[in-house]
Amino acid sequence: MRTLSLRLVVTTVAAALVTGVAATPAHAAALPSRAVWLADVQAVTDQAAAYLDGRLPDSGIRAAIVLDIDNTALQSKYKPYDATPGVLALARQARADGAAVFFVTARPEIIEAATELNLSIVGYQWTDIYTRPTFDFSDNQTLKTKARTDIEKRGYTIVANVGNSATDLGGGHAERTFKLPDYDGQLD
């Protein structure tokens, strides 16, 4: 019952944030089905998993992977608050091979506790989560690049960065990036 109550709280709080998705332009192609999206995501996470197989474990570094949350770690558009299976498997693989898992998101810090609860309920384990500090109005790429820079300052080598937006991946500070589909920006 407690888990159900906690999930309801997470769902309610996160809905207020996630439902503010920009309207799709009339000329944009229709968003594919969830099954197609999951298959497209799996194709990318399979590539990332193969890369990690060859890259980890590496006893010479403190390895880390960075994951975006919305429409990456969580199925925000298709099945809100549920884990994206391929990304969850990738996170588990990285942890099993000794890498730290970091979440870097533009979600505001005011909902960080709800976000952490959601991620935990669906099976993620992580080292740290970076959210948007209150009164930080920098663009998403600057925000996320700064977070990755901080992760490096903590002594980690980011071997993989996974996200569905160019702002999740731009700015460097990762050996490899893996871009999940966003269908011309329809998935933020």
Side-chain angles (χ1 to χ4, degrees), residues 4-168:
L4 181 60
S5 296
L6 291 175
R7 190 172 185 118
L8 180 60
V9 169
V10 169
T11 302
T12 303
V13 171
L17 171 71
V18 176
T19 57
V21 177
T24 303
H27 65 278
L31 199 59
S33 70
R34 179 174 173 265
V36 168
W37 175 70
L38 287 173
D40 291 347
V41 167
Q42 192 65 51
V44 176
T45 56
D46 285 349
Q47 293 172 13
Y51 167 72
L52 291 181
D53 277 341
R55 183 66 178 96
L56 299 174
D58 182 342
S59 59
I61 62 168
R62 287 180 69 197
I65 67 167
V66 170
L67 303 174
D68 175 48
I69 294 179
D70 291 306
N71 300 304
T72 299
L74 297 176
Q75 301 179 49
S76 304
K77 181 73 171 184
Y78 287 98
K79 196 170 180 188
Y81 325 112
D82 278 3
T84 305
V87 178
L88 179 58
L90 190 66
R92 288 178 171 163
Q93 174 188 352
R95 283 184 55 83
D97 286 341
V101 175
F102 289 90
F103 288 104
V104 175
T105 180
R107 286 181 172 201
E109 70 182 349
I110 195 167
I111 65 163
E112 186 171 322
T115 298
E116 288 178 345
L117 182 59
N118 186 178
L119 292 167
S120 179
I121 286 171
V122 298
Y124 284 101
Q125 294 180 323
W126 62 93
T127 301
D128 206 350
I129 183 170
Y130 287 78
T131 55
R132 180 180 296 282
T134 304
F135 304 117
D136 181 337
F137 303 109
S138 56
D139 64 85
N140 288 349
Q141 184 171 325
T142 299
L143 178 81
K144 293 179 178 200
T145 301
K146 183 179 176 184
R148 290 191 307 274
T149 301
D150 187 69
I151 292 166
E152 288 178 334
K153 287 179 182 174
R154 292 170 63 177
Y156 290 95
T157 299
I158 301 170
V159 297
N161 182 16
V162 182
N164 72 320
S165 172
T167 62
D168 298 333

